[in-house]
């Protein structure tokens, strides 16, 4: 099912949650709505679901106007942030809920319901938990049951609100990959909301960055990361060093011996891995010092400061591969030269 | 960190762990005294009254007890009390659910005022709760003449008793449900809707199972008050024996007539009701805690 | 928490709530106000200012104040014992604390009168040993109101004590505080707002209490006649105006208290950071 949002706006009192959102989501996409908390991404998801009504604008499913359609008739599956499993029902009954409460004409027989539910539980690898109650499950298990429950009604669109937000780091990692693989098998149009850029990059095939009720950029994870449209996207997705060429940074950069060859704006954003660091032999040219470094596994993060700044000045972060760092034989306190390999320019 | 080991000169009793323990717990003698005070107080004020009811109810033997209970006036009072509860409890339960639904599931202007107004009857003296209905429907009340002309009796009759009871038991159910449903949020109900459930199915399959213990709790307290209300009902009832006396009023009338056994026999029924209420209440609290 | 616009049943639920609230509570209560408007200001002051009425207010408020104070002291002890100590039968005693909520006031009234009358179990003991007569005196009213107040105090304090963060006590102990210092400087300040609320709750309930008081009070005008009883007496003597004026005054005082209690609870919540 393809989804088109046209000119969606929504206010809560004086607060403008969504400001003229336009978005097209093709059939079969796995899309992340990414943004800081309070940016309106959850509201947008709920409007797509029909759990919330937009003040203006239209929601189209496969070209069909769904704006005023009830949540029950939209053919969506919704996974709530805190799962919203029915506490008084077993796992089996939770998953069967949507099938059992279909109108009599459309309701499958109890035997088919049993078969379907069993298959779904097998799909989420939790068939052995059918008779448990939600209270007896771990967070990750609840999450998967909530997903199975949403899938039971064979939705044309699957919507997930911060699906991994309440989980432990290790479970989260595992479920992210699992969701991605599940999507590859089912091919159902899927939209999930997250504030975690790493999660969006890892799971989604397409990312929509939302801020203050507006879409900042839409694109594949690599586009978003490598070609950010604006200052916000560049800062929000991945780490970056920000240099203002016109403000006091200009003098600072000059004295530090950092040169931008070809300025294309007033603000330069430089990703840490786009700065290469070399040890200076004669130590007179540069005033940049390696203050500290941290081992992050495959890469090493370097904290660089200007010598005379005494910690009060700017800190520049650079990253280099583990083995390159070992070859460079850098130590804390070493004077270094920096080479900017690539920068994003904004005005 | 390494402590420098020194030969201990302090006596064993003041080593730090003992000091801390004594700072975290009362000495045994104080504990026992406090428990004794608390239990003595509870016994004198709460247990003794229950025992006294039984003692006086059966003071002249089981025969006299049954005789007192089987009196037509007593039976009529029991009937009226049951009738009152049968009307008021369902009405206020329905109201409680509707009010809690409106207040916890929607945003609207004046919501907190509405919540306060619902609690209002709790802060009104029972006597005043009766007086207002006399002012409305009594002989000198606003509708007094009209009612007399149409030969309808409300005050000093059963409708008045029911109205006064409705008033005093008004907040019980709503008050139990509102905080619970607020805390629950509506995610589960939204989930049910997103799975295609109809409004009624959502309510009966998701909402009701989640609030059932709190609902029963509210109904239980509402019922106890409906059957036991004295002040409000006494103002509107007119104390007509066999006709407008509820059981608590019957207790008063018998007591004032020095029919001790009669008064305490009726009182024992109400005390029994109170004990049953307490037992069920404790069970429900346990159920709610276990949820 | 977000409120959904898609939840069904807003109009019927709110409509029924408002109609029912108006019919059962608001319209009857407003009668009292409208009826009072028929009185002139002078009439009102004459009724409220009469010696018997003033005396009854003194009796009602005085005894409610004393009862709430005594109930607060014992309530703290009972709540403390129930929450902090474990002993045989604790659950039973804890459950029975709600008895005054569940026991019809008329029953409480005749039982307390029977116990404390000069020939009663405790009445005789108190009269013979200390020469104190309880029943048919203002002291009797206080006793009945303590009975009514206990659950208010205990049930308000228990959750606060239960949720009390005991690591605060451990912190104080680690800094060398004694048990008494911990209680007065750490525990008591934390339960004080709740205690104040409990006091106000039991006071406001006690002022309006009728059933459990009238049997034990003796109901002597100027001495042991409470306001609610005076309202009933006036009504029975067809002094509708008098009853109305006194009732309205009572009602206004109750609302003042309701407001006060709400403020107190707000304060308590703020202090415990739950707002």
């Amino acid at each position: 099912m393809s989804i088109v949002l046209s000119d969606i706006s929504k206010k809560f009192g004086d607060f403008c949650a969504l400001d003229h959102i336009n978005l097209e989501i093709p059939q079969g996409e796995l899309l992340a709505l990414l943004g800081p908390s309070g940016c309106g991404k959850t509201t947008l998801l709920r409007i797509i679901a029909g759990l919330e009504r937009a003040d203006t604008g239209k929601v189209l499913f496969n070209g069909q106007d769904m704006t005023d359609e009830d949540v029950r008739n939209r053919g969506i599956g919704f996974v709530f942030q805190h799962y919203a499993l029915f506490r008084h029902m077993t796992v089996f009954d939770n998953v069967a809920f949507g099938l059992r409460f279909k109108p009599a004409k459309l309701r499958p027989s109890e035997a088919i319901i049993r078969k379907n539910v069993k298959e779904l539980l097998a799909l989420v690898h939790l068939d052995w938990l059918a008779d448990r109650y939600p209270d007896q499950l771990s967070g990750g298990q609840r999450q998967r049951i909530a997903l199975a429950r949403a899938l039971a009604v064979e939705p044309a669109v699957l919507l997930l609100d911060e699906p991994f937000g309440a989980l432990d780091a290790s479970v989260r990692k595992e479920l992210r990959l699992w969701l991605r693989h599940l999507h590859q098998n089912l091919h159902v149009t899927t939209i999930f909301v997250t504030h975690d850029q790493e999660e969006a990059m890892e799971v989604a095939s397409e990312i929509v960055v939302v801020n203050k009720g507006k879409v900042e950029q839409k694109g594949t994870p690599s586009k978003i990361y490598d070609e950010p449209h604006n200052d916000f996207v560049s800062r929000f997705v991945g780490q970056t060093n920000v240099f203002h060429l016109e403000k006091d940074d200009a003098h600072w950069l000059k004295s530090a011996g950092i040169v931008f060859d070809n300025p294309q704006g007033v603000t330069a954003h430089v990703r840490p891995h786009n700065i290469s660091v070399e040890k200076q032999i004669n130590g007179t040219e540069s005033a940049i010092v390696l203050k500290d470094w941290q081992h992050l596994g495959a890469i090493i993060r370097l904290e660089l400061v200007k010598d005379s700044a005494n910690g009060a000045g700017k800190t520049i972060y650079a990253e280099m591969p583990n083995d390159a760092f070992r070859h460079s034989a850098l130590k804390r306190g070493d004077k270094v030269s920096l080479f900017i390999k690539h920068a994003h320019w904004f005005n | 960190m390494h402590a420098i080991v020194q030969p201990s000169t302090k006596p064993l009793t003041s080593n730090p762990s003992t000091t801390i323990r004594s700072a975290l717990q009362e000495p045994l003698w104080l504990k026992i005294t406090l428990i004794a005070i608390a239990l003595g107080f509870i016994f004198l004020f709460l247990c003794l009254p229950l025992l006294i009811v039984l003692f006086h109810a059966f003071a002249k033997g089981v025969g006299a007890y049954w005789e007192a209970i089987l009196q037509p006036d007593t039976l009529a009072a029991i009937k009226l009390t049951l009738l009152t509860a049968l009307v008021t409890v369902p009405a206020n339960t329905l109201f409680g659910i509707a009010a809690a639904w409106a207040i916890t599931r929607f945003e609207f202007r004046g919501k907190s005022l509405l919540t306060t107004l619902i609690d209002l009857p709790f802060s009104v003296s029972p006597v005043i709760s009766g007086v207002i209905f006399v002012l409305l429907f009594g002989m000198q009340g606003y509708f007094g003449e009209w009612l007399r002309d149409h030969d309808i009796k409300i005050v000093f009759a059963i409708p008045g008793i029911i109205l006064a009871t409705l008033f005093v038991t008004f907040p019980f159910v709503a008050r139990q449900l509102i905080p619970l449903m607020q805390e629950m949020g509506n995610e589960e109900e939204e989930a049910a809707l997103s799975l295609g459930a109809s409004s009624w199915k959502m309510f009966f399959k998701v909402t009701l199972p989640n609030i059932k213990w709190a609902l029963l709790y509210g109904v239980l307290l509402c019922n106890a008050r409906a059957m036991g209300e004295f002040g409000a009902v006494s103002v509107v009832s007119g104390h007509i024996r066999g006709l407008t006396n509820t059981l608590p009023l019957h207790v008063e009338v018998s007591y004032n007539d020095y029919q001790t056994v009669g008064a305490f026999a009726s009182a024992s029924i109400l005390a029994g009701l109170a004990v049953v209420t307490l037992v069920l209440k404790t069970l429900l609290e346990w159920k709610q805690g276990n949820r | 928490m977000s409120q959904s616009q898609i939840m069904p049943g807003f109009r019927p639920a709110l409509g029924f709530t408002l109609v029912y609230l108006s019919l059962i509570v608001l319209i009857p209560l407003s009668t009292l106000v409208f009826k009072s408007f028929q009185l002139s200001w002078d009439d009102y002051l004459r009724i409220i200012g009469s010696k018997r009425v003033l005396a009854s207010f003194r009796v009602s408020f005085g005894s409610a104040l004393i009862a709430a104070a005594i109930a607060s002291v014992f309530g703290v002890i009972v709540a403390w014992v129930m929450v902090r100590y474990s002993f045989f039968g604790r659950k039973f005693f804890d459950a029975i604390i709600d008895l005054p909520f569940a026991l019809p006031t008329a029953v409480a009234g005749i039982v307390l009168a029977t116990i404390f009358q000069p020939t009663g179990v405790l009445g005789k003991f108190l009269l013979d040993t200390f020469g104190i007569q309880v029943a048919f005196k203002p002291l009797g009213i206080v006793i009945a109101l303590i009975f009514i107040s206990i659950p208010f105090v205990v049930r308000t304090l228990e959750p606060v004590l239960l949720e009390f963060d005991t690591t605060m006590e451990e912190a104080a102990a680690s800094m060398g505080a004694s048990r008494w210092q911990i209680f007065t400087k750490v525990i008591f300040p934390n339960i004080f707002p709740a205690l104040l609320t409990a006091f106000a709750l039991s006071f406001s309930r006690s002022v309006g209490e009728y059933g459990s008081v009238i049997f034990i009070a003796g109901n002597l005008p100027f001495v042991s006649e409470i306001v609610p009883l005076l309202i009933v007496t006036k009504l029975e003597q067809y002094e509708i105006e008098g009853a109305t004026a006194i009732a309205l005054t009572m009602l206004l005082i109750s609302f003042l208290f309701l407001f006060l209690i709400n403020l107190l609870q707000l304060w308590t919540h703020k202090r415990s950071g739950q707002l």
Side-chain angles (χ1 to χ4, degrees):
Chain A
M1 177 106 66
S2 71
I3 299 170
V4 175
L5 303 175
S6 86
D7 202 31
I8 298 280
S9 290
K10 172 82 183 172
K11 281 191 175 186
F12 293 108
D14 291 335
F15 175 69
C16 184
L18 294 172
D19 189 5
H20 301 285
I21 298 270
N22 288 292
L23 212 57
E24 281 184 38
I25 302 157
Q27 148 70 25
E29 191 135 78
L30 176 52
L31 181 114
L33 288 173
L34 172 67
S37 62
C39 74
K41 55 193 189 301
T42 293
T43 308
L44 190 59
L45 192 77
R46 290 169 62 87
I47 286 174
I48 297 171
L51 290 169
E52 205 94 53
R53 294 263 178 276
D55 297 340
T56 66
K58 286 198 180 314
V59 179
L60 308 178
F61 283 9
N62 274 351
Q64 204 182 348
D65 189 350
M66 286 282 177
T67 315
D68 297 318
E69 194 57 80
D70 194 286
V71 54
R72 284 166 274 201
N73 306 325
R74 289 199 185 193
I76 55 111
F78 200 98
V79 178
F80 291 81
Q81 184 175 4
H82 301 290
Y83 322 131
L85 292 176
F86 305 127
R87 282 167 273 193
H88 58 288
M89 292 182 193
T90 61
V91 162
F92 187 92
D93 292 338
N94 260 286
V95 178
F97 187 95
L99 297 173
R100 280 187 182 151
F101 295 109
K102 280 196 169 181
K105 277 180 289 176
L106 304 172
R107 193 184 308 150
S109 72
E110 187 63 25
I112 293 181
I113 291 177
R114 296 205 149 267
K115 187 174 143 282
N116 284 358
V117 172
K118 276 196 180 135
E119 280 171 12
L120 278 164
L121 288 174
L123 180 73
V124 299
H125 309 301
L126 289 176
D127 33 357
W128 49 287
L129 288 177
D131 296 327
R132 301 272 186 95
Y133 284 88
D135 282 350
Q136 300 165 303
L137 306 184
S138 72
Q141 289 168 340
R142 281 182 217 179
Q143 172 64 53
R144 282 188 277 167
I145 295 302
L147 197 59
R149 184 178 70 175
L151 289 173
V153 290
E154 291 175 9
V157 181
L158 186 59
L159 305 167
L160 305 98
D161 186 6
E162 294 275 3
F164 312 114
L167 299 174
D168 292 343
S170 61
V171 183
R172 207 182 305 160
K173 276 233 176 297
E174 180 193 321
L175 279 186
R176 281 176 189 169
L177 282 181
W178 177 77
L179 178 66
R180 199 181 156 94
H181 293 150
L182 191 74
H183 176 260
Q184 282 163 0
N185 291 335
L186 297 176
H187 268 299
V188 55
T189 310
T190 304
I191 305 173
F192 72 99
V193 155
T194 180
H195 63 270
D196 182 344
Q197 44 102 4
E198 202 180 303
E199 183 167 294
M201 307 272 290
E202 200 173 327
V203 180
S205 56
E206 193 81 2
I207 295 176
V208 174
V209 182
V210 185
N211 184 38
K212 291 183 181 160
K214 290 190 165 152
V215 172
E216 300 280 356
Q217 188 173 354
K218 177 176 188 287
T220 60
S222 50
K223 280 257 181 202
I224 297 274
Y225 187 84
D226 294 331
E227 296 163 36
H229 278 184
N230 54 33
D231 182 277
F232 175 81
V233 177
S234 164
R235 282 169 192 261
F236 192 73
V237 181
Q239 279 199 321
T240 192
N241 294 293
V242 179
F243 301 101
H244 301 276
L245 261 59
E246 282 175 353
K247 294 193 197 153
D248 35 284
D249 278 5
H251 174 71
W252 192 90
L253 289 169
K254 205 173 174 188
S255 66
I258 299 173
V259 183
F260 287 99
D261 296 333
N262 187 15
Q264 291 158 15
V266 288
T267 313
H269 287 206
V270 183
R271 302 258 186 232
H273 57 82
N274 282 333
I275 299 177
S276 66
V277 181
E278 268 173 32
K279 190 169 180 169
Q280 267 195 342
I281 316 294
N282 296 327
T284 45
E285 247 173 83
S286 168
I288 299 284
V289 172
L290 175 62
K291 183 189 171 202
D292 197 6
W293 56 270
Q294 291 104 35
H295 199 301
L296 303 181
I299 56 163
I300 304 294
R301 187 208 280 142
L302 309 172
E303 255 177 72
L304 307 157
V305 293
K306 203 180 134 189
D307 191 13
S308 57
N310 250 345
K314 198 182 188 75
T315 304
I316 300 172
Y317 293 98
E319 284 170 4
M320 60 167 64
N322 199 347
D323 44 357
F325 180 73
R326 217 175 304 137
H327 283 297
S328 70
L330 279 163
K331 295 192 300 295
R332 288 189 183 87
D334 281 351
K335 291 201 168 186
V336 295
S337 341
L338 305 185
F339 301 98
I340 310 272
K341 292 185 279 192
H342 181 71
H344 296 119
W345 292 93
F346 304 106
N347 283 310
Chain B
M1 200 171 70
H2 290 279
I4 300 162
V5 182
Q6 284 180 333
S8 172
T9 50
K10 290 177 184 168
L12 200 68
T13 45
S14 69
N15 80 51
S17 75
T18 328
T19 319
I20 285 195
R21 208 176 307 130
S22 79
L24 289 176
Q25 282 187 349
E26 292 77 44
L28 190 63
W29 65 266
L30 185 58
K31 268 191 195 178
I32 291 172
T33 314
L34 287 176
I35 292 177
I37 292 174
L39 296 193
F41 185 76
I42 291 173
F43 178 79
L44 276 186
F45 269 87
L46 303 173
C47 302
L48 189 61
L50 281 182
L51 295 177
I52 293 288
V53 171
L54 289 182
F55 177 77
H56 283 282
F58 292 101
K60 293 187 179 146
V62 179
Y65 176 83
W66 279 115
E67 201 180 310
I69 285 191
L70 293 176
Q71 262 186 18
D73 286 352
T74 316
L75 290 178
I78 294 176
K79 236 189 248 169
L80 180 56
T81 298
L82 289 176
L83 174 72
T84 308
L86 215 62
V87 176
T88 54
V89 174
N92 280 340
T93 304
L94 206 63
F95 159 76
I97 295 173
W101 185 258
I103 286 174
T104 61
R105 293 299 178 254
F106 303 96
E107 286 299 337
F108 53 91
R109 243 169 222 271
K111 192 159 113 163
S112 56
L113 177 69
L114 180 60
T115 317
T116 314
L117 288 178
I118 288 173
D119 267 352
L120 216 53
F122 274 165
S123 51
V124 175
S125 168
V127 166
I128 295 177
S129 314
V131 168
I132 53 179
F133 290 102
V134 175
L135 291 181
L136 261 183
F137 302 117
M139 276 313 221
Q140 290 166 293
Y142 283 103
F143 298 108
E145 272 180 38
W146 188 87
L147 288 171
R148 192 190 50 197
D149 292 347
H150 290 78
D151 209 19
I152 303 169
K153 267 186 88 73
I154 291 184
V155 167
F156 306 142
I158 295 173
I161 293 175
I162 289 178
L163 279 173
T165 310
L166 276 176
F167 182 93
V168 294
T169 58
F170 186 82
F172 277 103
V173 176
R175 187 176 241 224
Q176 289 302 321
L177 293 185
I178 290 171
L180 176 78
M181 288 172 66
Q182 197 86 57
E183 188 198 309
M184 260 170 35
N186 56 12
E187 269 204 347
E188 283 185 47
E189 282 137 6
E190 286 185 349
L193 289 178
S194 80
L195 291 168
S198 70
S199 306
W200 287 116
K201 273 180 181 154
M202 175 204 68
F203 180 76
F204 284 109
K205 297 290 175 187
V206 176
T207 311
L208 207 54
N210 273 326
I211 63 171
K212 66 181 170 196
W213 299 123
L215 183 66
L216 277 177
Y217 194 88
V219 167
L220 184 73
L221 298 187
C222 182
N223 179 63
R225 183 73 190 266
M227 290 189 167
E229 177 52 28
F230 176 72
V233 170
S234 114
V235 173
V236 293
S237 105
H239 293 85
I240 308 165
R241 284 192 184 202
L243 282 179
T244 63
N245 265 357
T246 61
L247 205 48
L249 296 179
H250 187 65
V251 169
E252 180 201 19
V253 172
S254 310
Y255 183 79
N256 287 343
D257 285 352
Y258 300 103
Q259 300 172 4
T260 315
V261 171
F264 279 99
S266 303
S268 75
I269 300 176
L270 291 169
L273 174 76
V275 170
V276 170
T277 302
L278 283 188
V279 171
L280 290 177
K281 187 172 165 296
T282 312
L283 283 178
L284 282 177
E285 275 162 10
W286 185 72
K287 274 278 183 194
Q288 272 176 296
N290 263 17
R291 211 173 57 105
Chain C
M1 189 191 333
S2 74
Q3 296 285 331
S4 172
Q5 299 165 301
I6 59 127
M7 282 289 142
F10 177 58
R11 278 157 190 274
L14 187 65
F16 177 64
T17 302
L18 291 178
V19 170
Y20 192 77
L21 175 74
S22 306
L23 287 180
I24 303 295
V25 177
L26 298 183
I27 294 174
L29 262 184
S30 59
T31 318
L32 195 55
V33 181
F34 286 125
K35 202 82 183 176
S36 319
F37 285 155
Q38 294 174 357
L39 287 171
S40 72
W41 189 239
D42 288 340
D43 285 338
Y44 176 77
L45 287 183
R46 187 177 43 76
I47 294 167
I48 297 300
S50 83
K51 282 202 170 134
R52 187 170 170 188
V53 175
L54 286 179
S56 72
F57 270 100
R58 209 160 31 239
V59 171
S60 272
F61 284 88
S63 42
L65 212 62
I66 298 171
I70 297 175
S72 297
V73 173
F74 280 99
V76 171
I77 298 177
V78 171
W80 180 266
V81 164
M82 290 299 164
V83 172
R84 288 298 178 99
Y85 302 155
S86 60
F87 50 88
F88 181 73
R90 188 179 61 89
K91 286 235 168 76
F92 167 79
F93 285 112
D94 194 44
I96 208 174
I97 286 170
D98 279 329
L99 184 70
F101 281 155
L103 193 69
T105 52
V107 178
I110 66 164
V111 174
L112 290 174
T114 307
I115 295 177
F116 287 99
Q117 69 193 9
T119 53
V121 196
L122 288 174
K124 192 165 163 30
F125 169 76
L126 289 171
L127 193 62
D128 291 351
T129 329
F130 304 105
I132 302 171
Q133 190 186 330
V134 176
F136 319 128
K137 298 270 181 193
L139 186 56
I141 303 176
V142 173
I143 294 283
L145 296 182
I146 293 175
F147 174 83
I148 290 299
S149 299
I150 300 165
F152 284 95
V153 182
V154 177
R155 291 300 181 237
T156 310
L157 286 175
E158 269 181 341
V160 179
L161 279 174
L162 262 177
E163 279 165 30
F164 185 81
D165 181 6
T166 48
T167 55
M168 284 200 281
E169 290 173 50
E170 290 171 0
S174 74
M175 290 179 266
S178 72
R179 188 66 192 145
W180 178 245
Q181 284 172 322
I182 290 175
F183 184 80
T184 54
K185 303 285 182 205
V186 178
I187 299 171
F188 191 75
N190 275 291
I191 61 171
F192 183 68
L195 186 61
L196 221 52
T197 306
F199 181 88
L201 278 174
S202 48
F203 177 76
S204 85
R205 168 73 201 264
S206 292
V207 166
E209 180 55 27
Y210 177 69
S212 54
V213 174
I214 53 163
F215 297 97
I216 198 176
N219 307 327
L220 212 59
F222 301 103
V223 179
S224 59
E225 186 177 53
I226 54 169
V227 180
L229 180 69
L230 190 58
I231 296 174
V232 174
T233 311
K234 296 247 177 205
L235 207 62
E236 279 172 355
Q237 294 165 349
Y238 297 104
E239 289 180 41
I240 298 279
E241 289 172 353
T244 311
I246 305 171
L248 183 72
T249 312
M250 274 284 278
L251 194 67
L252 293 179
I253 295 173
S254 311
F255 289 170
L256 195 73
F257 256 89
L258 186 69
F259 180 66
L260 210 71
I261 291 168
N262 278 339
L263 281 186
L264 268 174
Q265 276 166 345
L266 210 66
W267 183 50
T268 316
H269 279 273
K270 261 189 191 150
R271 275 185 59 118
S272 54
Q274 293 170 332
L275 212 71

